[in-house]
Amino acid sequence: MTGDIPVDSRAQRLVRVRRFVRTRRGGVATGLVVALLAGGVGTWATDTWPFDGRDRYCWGAWQEDSGPGILGDEGFEGDDDRSRTSTGSAPTSREPRGQCRLSVSSSDTYQGDKDQQDTTVTVKYGPAPESAGRRVTWLGGYLGDRAMPLPDGLPGVADGNHGLLVLPERCDTRDGRPTAVTLDASEGAEADDVLPAVPMLGGSQDVARLLVAAANKGMEAAGCADGEPLRVSGPLPTLPEREESFPSGAICRIPGLDIESDLGKEMAMRLNYQVGAVNDDLQSCSARIGRSLRLGERADQPLFDAVMVREPRISALLDGATGTKAPGKGWRGTGTFASDYGIVRAGCAGRPTSFLLLGASTGTTSDYFATFTNAVARRLGCAPVAPAADAEGGRR
Amino acid sequence: MSDDKSTIGEGNSMSGEGTSMSDEDKGTVTPTEPEGAASPGRADKPADKAADKPLGVLAAAIAAAPPPWWHWRRLGRLARARWTPVVGAAVAGVLLGGAGVAWQAEAGPFHEERACWGALGEDDVADLFHGKRDIESSEVGVSRDSIASDGPSGLCELKSPRGMRVRAQLHRLDDRFGGDRDKWADEYLSARMVPLGGGLLGMVSDTRAWLAIPEGCVGRPGERDGPLVIDMDAGWTTYDDDVDTDERARLARTVVKLVNGYMADQGCDSPIGDPTDRLAEPARFIDEKRDAICGIKGLALPGKGVGGRYDRPLVTKNTKDTPVRTCDRDVLFGHPSLRLMTVEDPRLAVLYKGLSFDGGSEVTAVGDTKKESRGRGFLREDTGLYQASCQTGEVTFLIRADDDGHAAEIRRLLPRYVALEAERVGCGPLRLRMPS
């Protein structure tokens, strides 16, 4: 009868368990176990996890693996020495300026060659730069080239590695200047790079999402959030066309904007342009001389960027930057032509419309800018802004 | 074991009585035990029928009979067995786990019937069919032809037993024969449609809806490809200018859900929001003035003008981001007898790129040089077309009749129409040189 003893002891154990469950402490403990189990099943089933150990960056605005490429696994280009850190301070209601720098690095060794990734993403929260010149080049840098407007009326633009978003009026500074959030990414150069490295954030859609997430957190920290966070609704529009590297005749489809004939044969071959957004609020044309690897050039040489902007909130960033006088003889509106930029603002079809020029505003470039300005004004259905070369308004 | 039995017998005489009532009626149970066994329990109840002897015997027999295996008494006894907690816990665990898996996998009771390539849930379909839930759906899944390179395509049909039928189709618009073989342009670019707005390439009426899959998700189509669209066909209506805006809102919501579903399948997680709030008022017939054919000031014809007395034109509502401006007259089964159309959106104007190389007498523009021209066009008995390169991209100007009876009108209208419309869309000045 040796077998009876373990059976008995098992039974006793069961009895003891049952008795324990029936005590108050036992009841609490059992309830806890059941609750934990149910919670576990729930989190698993809904695919959420309260204690996931995911890192947060930049004022807590960005969370690891929350969507944008740079915050996920694909943000690392190499397999070794992966690290992702951020430094910076959030805006406060007293000091509504903030900035943050996200650093992502990794390395990869392939056949003895070491590839180092050093991606830096800088986010800034605050008003536009004070001085007119810096403001024009700052804004033009975001609006020109390959930038596209954010979807569904968000006042901002983004491309693959930088973007700008103007916050709602409730976040304006006390003297009425709008607050903007900007994002810029750069990639550390390596000595043996043939071409400058391009930071990979995951595409312009991801840049827009990073921008909006930083804006929401920034507004919260600065005390001007209103409970309804901004969001990117729907995909970003895409550029109407690719970079054109064999232009013939007028560039950017702007009638009369014929640069080729002013360039030498060698340079004309290397001319290329990019048409950016062309809509009611924004239009840009970027002309460059393509890099020549034969001559050891590592970057395109910009000729000029011409931008028209009349989106009310983005346009408000330029308030006070145009002065009170016409920029030149025969020009309508107010503005300035400086050595490295030009700006003119005039009423156009019922809205103040700004035309920006990045690049020297002298000589032929100034003529190109006049052609661009009048062609765009004509497209929008308003009187010429630049001194017209002929009765048609264009310079055909 | 005998211990257990007695406890049950004693403690449950009350409910034993309850069951006896129904068993009495059947009269199938016969007493197998002496009546004394159960009588002490019953004797102290004054209102009992125990006085009635046969019934008392019956009740006693029932109380004493071994209950069937499923009876709660036996189950209660089971619960007192030693191994029961273990089995119980195991069963509960299996049930919980199974339910969890079913929930996660959306199987069994958690399974939701989804229609149209998984993009529409039951509620979405009910929304489209006025709350009715007995809708049948059938579909041809989304597939891709790797030989003809026509892009992805798929079909879906939702059918109500009351006769209403809605068809949805995913396809790449055909740019080879003009307006996706004209029929698509006739129906889906008609003046009854209004744009979905918000930068989307799509339009909707109460019988048709179409929306291009945003390029930000699927990438730009090739240089000579039309956009990839999902369109919906909800049948016919007696054609006039009366558009049912509720019906239109249902179609608009549904086509957005279909596109969001397709985008989610492609791994794009930025769904498009509900467009219904921003839809414009539908277009109405306009009273055409002699010098403003189709409401375009300055467009006139000498003589009696275009068309007869009764065919007033319907012109696309002038809204901010309409991809086309269409002027239809005398529409029969969605097919206008004469259409003047400006396709402003370059993504859609590509539908006429192939046609613009087509035959006919060539139309050129004033100022064209050998090196550079404003665009391309031609004139035929039933068609006048000019495809211009504008700052916004390609823009198509088209006049098309359903027979050759309008040849003289088309010839007269085309240069004036193109000049005025080019000015409106910001592509002026554009003066055409007509072939002699």
Side-chain angles (χ1 to χ4, degrees), chain A residues 45 205 238-239 283 378, chain B residues 104 215 220 270 390-391 423:
Chain A
Q205 185 80 33
T238 45
L239 286 162
Q283 179 166 356
R378 173 141 211 196
Chain B
Q104 184 74 345
E215 292 176 358
R220 185 207 313 267
S270 304
C390 303
Q391 287 183 43
E423 210 56 59

Side-chain angles (χ1 to χ4, degrees), chain A residues 7-8 11 14 18 37 41-42 44-47 67 151-152 205 209 231-242 248-250 252-256 258 260 275 278-281 283 351 372 375-376 378-380 392 396, chain B residues 80-83 85-86 96-97 100-101 103-104 198-200 214-217 219-223 263 268-273 278 320 346 366-368 371-372 374 389-394 423-429 431:
Chain A
V7 171
D8 266 4
L14 260 174
R18 213 183 300 159
L37 263 176
V41 169
W44 170 71
T46 54
D47 214 2
D152 214 12
Q205 185 80 33
R209 285 202 287 185
R231 51 190 292 267
V232 187
S233 161
L236 239 64
T238 45
L239 286 162
E241 59 186 59
R242 292 183 183 83
S248 76
C252 295
R253 299 190 301 258
I254 305 282
D258 190 354
E260 230 182 341
V275 184
V278 186
N279 58 32
D280 243 20
D281 292 331
Q283 179 166 356
R351 272 203 268 167
F372 173 84
V376 174
R378 173 141 211 196
R379 176 176 80 81
L380 298 173
E392 292 282 50
R396 229 162 205 286
Chain B
R80 241 149 267 153
R82 283 178 197 149
W83 44 270
V86 181
L96 257 179
V101 168
W103 180 15
Q104 184 74 345
L200 300 172
E215 292 176 358
C217 172
R220 185 207 313 267
E223 203 105 306
M263 287 204 296
C268 311
D269 47 3
S270 304
I272 299 166
R278 57 173 181 245
K320 195 183 149 210
V366 174
D368 280 2
K371 193 177 154 203
E372 211 184 341
R374 294 296 302 276
S389 169
C390 303
Q391 287 183 43
T392 47
E394 299 277 293
E423 210 56 59
R424 181 181 66 84
V425 303
C427 193
R431 288 196 206 103

Side-chain angles (χ1 to χ4, degrees), chain B residues 376-391:
Chain B
R376 264 182 324 278
F378 68 82
L379 185 69
R380 277 201 311 237
E381 297 281 279
D382 61 345
T383 313
L385 177 134
Y386 195 77
Q387 177 116 357
S389 169
C390 303
Q391 287 183 43

